[in-house]
Amino acid sequence: MGMKTDEDLRFLAFSPNVSVGVSCEGQNAADRENLADGGIEFHPPQGIPTISFPYLNQEGYRSPFVMVKFKDFSRRVVIQIECKLYAKNIDNSGTARRHGIMRFELLKD
């Protein structure tokens, strides 16, 4: 299904300086403490370019991604990570259907 109408195109207000923001942190105080020393790097550092949105089942669409590097963190401790996307139309408050939120566990032997 390709984009055919002006209404579809209005969602693609792409600007090279506009991105969907991304953040990652420990889910609770202990997790945040275990991550505190090293910091987190993102690539691309500004987030996900808006050219990736919206997904409308377009032919040739490529899903956006962000690489996250956890620079240094506690060894032999499971750390629960929560990453969030930030944009006007993403409700990541935790009370909704969990749009824009991803959770995973991190362990360094």
Side-chain angles (χ1 to χ4, degrees), residues 32-48:
R32 287 187 288 277
E33 184 177 322
N34 285 316
L35 287 173
D37 293 337
I40 301 172
E41 287 182 7
F42 298 91
H43 184 76
Q46 70 277 7
I48 302 171

Side-chain angles (χ1 to χ4, degrees), residues 49-89:
T50 56
I51 193 74
S52 301
F53 300 100
Y55 173 69
L56 298 172
N57 201 24
Q58 304 95 313
E59 186 174 323
Y61 178 82
R62 294 179 185 224
S63 296
F65 65 92
V66 172
M67 292 179 280
V68 181
K69 179 180 180 181
F70 298 91
K71 294 168 93 177
D72 191 26
F73 51 93
S74 301
R75 297 183 64 159
R76 297 183 179 93
V77 175
V78 175
I79 302 171
Q80 297 179 12
I81 307 293
E82 180 175 86
C83 296
K84 294 182 179 183
L85 296 178
Y86 294 93
K88 284 195 272 186
N89 62 341

